Amino acid sequence: MKIFIPDLVSCRPFDPQISRNYKLVSTEAKHWLFNGAPHLDEQFGRAVPGLEAGQFAARCHYNLGYPQCRVCTDFFHWIFHIDNLPDDMDSRGVRDVSNVVMDLLYHPQTHCSSARLNWMTKQ
């Protein structure tokens, strides 16, 4: 039995493009993430450089300017962090993560938490 996987790269109808701001965006987003974020755990710190969120954002949205590309990059980092959190948690921990994010989104002025996710969501 043989399985044939199509070559999706060669049949793409467009030329891959990338925003001219991606190097600056990547550098500043990683600086923000590693130097500003409290409670950066070692596992997340090792995974972030491989994510290449700046390059991903710059390829998906190649016509954006610097500020918009930076927002997309930070959002990708935030989503990646939220995706990684429940890996080592039980259902109560996942519910706590959900509560931190939702409470902050509903009550941005009054919600207070020392969680790293709280800091990232506020930013």
Side-chain angles (χ1 to χ4, degrees), residues 32 36-37 70 74 78 104 116-123:
W32 166 77
R70 175 64 195 275
D74 291 344
W78 182 72
L104 182 61
R116 178 173 185 279
L117 183 60
N118 183 69
W119 179 84
M120 287 181 77
T121 305
K122 241 182 202 179
Q123 294 291 313

Side-chain angles (χ1 to χ4, degrees), residues 11 15 26 46 52 61 94 118:
C11 66
D15 291 329
S26 294
R46 284 192 312 266
E52 292 293 339
H61 310 288
V94 173
N118 183 69

Side-chain angles (χ1 to χ4, degrees), residues 17-111:
Q17 297 180 8
I18 190 164
S19 171
R20 58 189 164 86
N21 299 309
Y22 92 91
K23 288 183 182 178
L24 180 62
V25 166
S26 294
T27 303
E28 290 188 0
K30 286 178 186 176
H31 179 74
W32 166 77
L33 195 60
F34 288 110
N35 294 335
H39 315 296
L40 182 64
D41 63 334
E42 191 175 316
Q43 180 184 6
F44 182 71
R46 284 192 312 266
V48 166
L51 175 64
E52 292 293 339
Q55 187 174 9
F56 182 62
R59 286 195 185 276
C60 291
H61 310 288
Y62 60 87
N63 57 349
L64 293 182
Y66 170 81
Q68 295 86 2
C69 193
R70 175 64 195 275
V71 168
C72 290
T73 302
D74 291 344
F75 181 71
F76 289 149
H77 280 136
W78 182 72
I79 290 292
F80 181 71
H81 184 58
I82 287 178
D83 179 59
N84 274 351
L85 282 176
D87 292 348
D88 300 326
M89 293 182 177
D90 58 1
S91 61
R92 181 178 175 155
V94 173
R95 192 171 26 257
D96 290 343
V97 167
S98 171
N99 288 338
V100 165
V101 173
M102 296 311 293
D103 286 349
L104 182 61
L105 292 176
Y106 282 121
H107 311 288
Q109 306 302 326
T110 58
H111 179 74

